[in-house]
Amino acid sequence: QVQLVESGGGLVQPGGSLRLSCVASGTTFSAYSIYSLNWFRQVPGKQRELVAEIISGNTPNYADAVKGRFTFSTDNAENKMSLEMNSMKSEDTAVYFCNVHTRLGNDFWGQGIQVTVSS
């Protein structure tokens, strides 16, 4: 069973930076069974939206809203994925979730972590 544990959320001022991390156990990111690694976010009353993805070990893809500001990276040795968020805006305020999607169609989620951008 894959377990994902997130850390690094909190309060940041507009224009500031924050780094989220997600450590996985029960699998390795290089396993063939893994199709994609993803970061999602969700605002109350809205659907969860994809922020960034890495499909089959390729270069990351980003939602237009975060392109150029967020960077998605992985450390396969530590089974850790990270989301570096820069030039943050109030509209980045959300609960952020890391996700592993397998080739069999299974989804595993982190517990969710609050990110608040406010002065």
Side-chain angles (χ1 to χ4, degrees), residues 39-93:
W39 284 98
F40 286 79
R41 66 186 182 187
Q42 188 168 22
V43 175
K46 293 189 175 181
Q47 281 193 329
R48 195 170 294 187
E49 65 172 359
L50 180 65
V51 175
E53 64 180 3
I54 293 177
I55 299 176
S56 298
N58 290 321
T59 56
N61 298 311
Y62 299 94
D64 287 343
V66 307
K67 202 172 294 184
R69 300 188 297 118
F70 289 13
T71 302
F72 185 4
S73 61
T74 63
D75 183 334
N76 287 351
E78 295 190 2
N79 264 359
K80 182 167 69 175
M81 64 175 93
S82 299
L83 187 68
E84 181 75 29
M85 303 182 290
N86 299 313
S87 302
M88 297 189 72
K89 306 175 181 180
S90 58
E91 50 262 45
D92 295 322
T93 295

